[in-house]
């Protein structure tokens, strides 16, 4: 019972992050399932089955708050489903001893990407309003879907920054559209795992626990997406993913590092993580202050004109 409550809390926290950042539900949940010794393919299958419910609720919530571009959902979601099914069947056929460190490498790479991207750049703003074309979204969807299924997460970390980097869709609609299209990816990946693994290796009580936590968090996250600083959240989540998967790799047969080496690397990660969080918070506050100053300067002439001509 204690483990189920913990998993529900993991699902709640992961969905709060995913719904407000557009990524990290699968990566965070799978990382923690691997940390407690779950089979890699079963961990990814568990997360994707739970995501069928969480992404459905999240998508509806984002739609109600006006955070969804349905053209983007279809253009990226259908190719993403194809990539996810292929990735799930591929992972199901791998030996566990090979799959565990392989998945850790994928998750670590995604964690580094999230961590560096959001710490150094925040959310880029570019050519808002220009259309996102199918020739860009379709290949992106296939790659993101495949990585998502094989890594236990990756739809958001691959898809969200790529669309944000294009500068063509505002952040809240990018996050809402990625979260909504993930429903198609979760369904396809789950079918792939059930086809490749069967159901005997999947703990459906764990699925339900993750689902309950995620469903509770989904509407809250859709509202919070307008208020939480994504830059700070990205640095925090990226650090968790890096630390946890570094631990998995260092203790695997691929590396088998000694205690001194492992604890030294952990200490370095903690120091860099703390510095990154401090930098993200400082930059967020600086940018917010700069925006307030620009707004104040822009409104000053109008205020002066009204004072000179009360009529």
């Amino acid at each position: 019972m204690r483990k189920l409550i913990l998993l529900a809390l993991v699902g709640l926290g992961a969905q709060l992050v995913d719904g407000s950042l557009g990524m990290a539900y699968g990566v965070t949940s799978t990382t923690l399932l691997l940390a407690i010794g779950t089979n890699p393919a079963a961990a990814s299958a568990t997360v994707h089955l739970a995501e069928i419910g969480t992404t459905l609720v999240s998508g509806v919530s984002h739609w109600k708050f006006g955070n969804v571009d349905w053209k983007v959902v279809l253009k990226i979601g259908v190719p993403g489903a194809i990539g996810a099914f292929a990735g799930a069947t591929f992972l199901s056929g791998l030996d566990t001893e090979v799959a565990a460190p392989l998945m850790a490498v994928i998750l670590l790479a995604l964690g580094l990407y999230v961590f560096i991207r959001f710490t150094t750049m925040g959310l880029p703003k570019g050519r808002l309003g220009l259309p996102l074309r199918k020739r860009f979204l379709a290949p992106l969807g296939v790659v993101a879907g495949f990585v998502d299924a094989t890594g236990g997460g990756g739809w958001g970390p691959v898809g969200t920054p790529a669309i944000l980097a294009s500068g063509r869709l505002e952040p809240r609609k990018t996050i809402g559209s990625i979260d909504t299209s993930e429903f198609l990816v979760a369904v396809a990946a789950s079918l792939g795992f059930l086809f490749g693994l069967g159901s005997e290796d999947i703990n459906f009580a764990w699925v339900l626990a993750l689902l309950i936590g995620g469903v509770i968090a989904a509407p809250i996250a859709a509202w919070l997406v307008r208020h939480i600083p994504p830059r700070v959240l990205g640095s925090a989540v990226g650090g968790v993913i890096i630390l946890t998967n570094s631990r998995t790799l260092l203790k695997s047969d691929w590396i088998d590092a000694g205690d001194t080496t492992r604890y030294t690397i952990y200490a370095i990660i903690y120091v860099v993580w703390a510095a990154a969080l401090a930098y993200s918070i400082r930059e967020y506050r600086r940018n917010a202050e700069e925006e307030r100053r620009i707004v104040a300067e822009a409104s000053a002439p109008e205020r002066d004109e009204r004072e000179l001509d009360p009529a």
Side-chain angles (χ1 to χ4, degrees):
M1 179 59 71
R2 183 179 298 176
K3 182 175 286 187
L4 292 179
I5 293 173
L6 177 60
L7 286 170
L9 292 174
V10 167
L12 189 149
Q15 184 58 45
L16 276 174
V17 172
D18 187 270
S20 55
L21 188 60
M23 63 180 72
Y25 178 89
V27 178
T28 304
S29 300
T30 303
T31 293
L32 293 172
L33 286 176
L34 289 175
I36 62 176
T38 309
N39 175 292
S44 188
T46 299
V47 170
H48 281 93
L49 283 167
E51 280 185 324
I52 293 176
T54 59
T55 54
L56 179 61
V57 175
S58 181
V60 171
S61 300
H62 277 296
W63 169 61
K64 287 185 176 181
F65 283 103
N67 298 335
V68 178
D69 185 320
W70 289 104
K71 291 182 180 179
V72 172
V73 169
L74 291 176
K75 288 178 182 178
I76 196 172
V78 174
I82 296 171
F85 185 85
T89 53
F90 170 76
L91 182 62
S92 298
L94 284 181
D95 181 78
T96 300
E97 293 184 1
V98 175
L102 177 61
M103 184 179 288
V105 170
I106 295 173
L107 292 168
L108 179 60
L110 292 172
L112 283 168
Y113 185 76
V114 171
F115 184 74
I116 295 171
R117 177 82 183 188
F118 281 86
T119 299
T120 60
M121 298 181 62
L123 282 170
K125 297 178 182 179
R127 299 170 294 170
L128 288 176
L130 294 178
L132 283 161
R133 303 194 181 279
K134 190 174 181 179
R135 62 173 177 264
F136 166 69
L137 291 175
L140 175 64
V142 172
V143 172
F146 186 87
V147 170
D148 186 84
T150 54
W155 178 252
V158 175
T160 299
I163 294 177
L164 288 174
S166 73
R168 299 188 175 207
L169 191 65
E170 58 184 303
R172 68 182 182 89
K173 287 197 172 182
T174 298
I175 293 168
S177 300
I178 286 291
D179 268 18
T180 303
S181 60
E182 194 171 9
F183 172 75
L184 300 174
V185 174
V187 170
S190 297
L191 290 174
F193 282 119
L194 290 173
F195 175 78
L197 288 176
S199 60
E200 62 273 8
D201 290 331
I202 300 172
N203 189 323
F204 286 95
W206 291 12
V207 173
L208 182 61
L210 286 171
L211 174 61
I212 290 172
V215 166
I216 292 171
I220 302 171
W223 177 79
L224 286 176
V225 72
R226 299 171 180 262
H227 305 286
I228 289 183
R231 182 171 199 155
V232 177
L233 198 54
S235 298
V237 172
V240 171
I241 296 167
I242 290 169
L243 180 64
T244 309
N245 288 287
S246 294
R247 177 179 176 275
T248 300
L249 273 177
L250 290 170
K251 296 180 73 174
S252 71
D253 291 338
W254 287 13
I255 299 176
D256 193 21
D259 289 346
T260 302
T261 302
R262 285 190 290 111
Y263 291 130
T264 300
I265 293 175
Y266 297 158
I268 293 171
I269 292 173
Y270 276 122
V271 170
V272 174
W273 189 12
L277 282 171
Y279 178 79
S280 294
I281 293 170
R282 188 188 70 187
E283 288 300 297
Y284 167 72
R285 289 177 174 173
R286 185 182 65 80
N287 291 335
E289 183 62 33
E290 181 68 17
E291 289 178 3
R292 284 193 292 269
R293 185 185 63 79
I294 292 172
V295 170
E297 289 178 353
S299 61
E302 297 179 4
R303 187 170 60 250
D304 293 342
E305 186 175 329
R306 286 196 301 268
E307 291 175 354
L308 291 173
D309 185 13

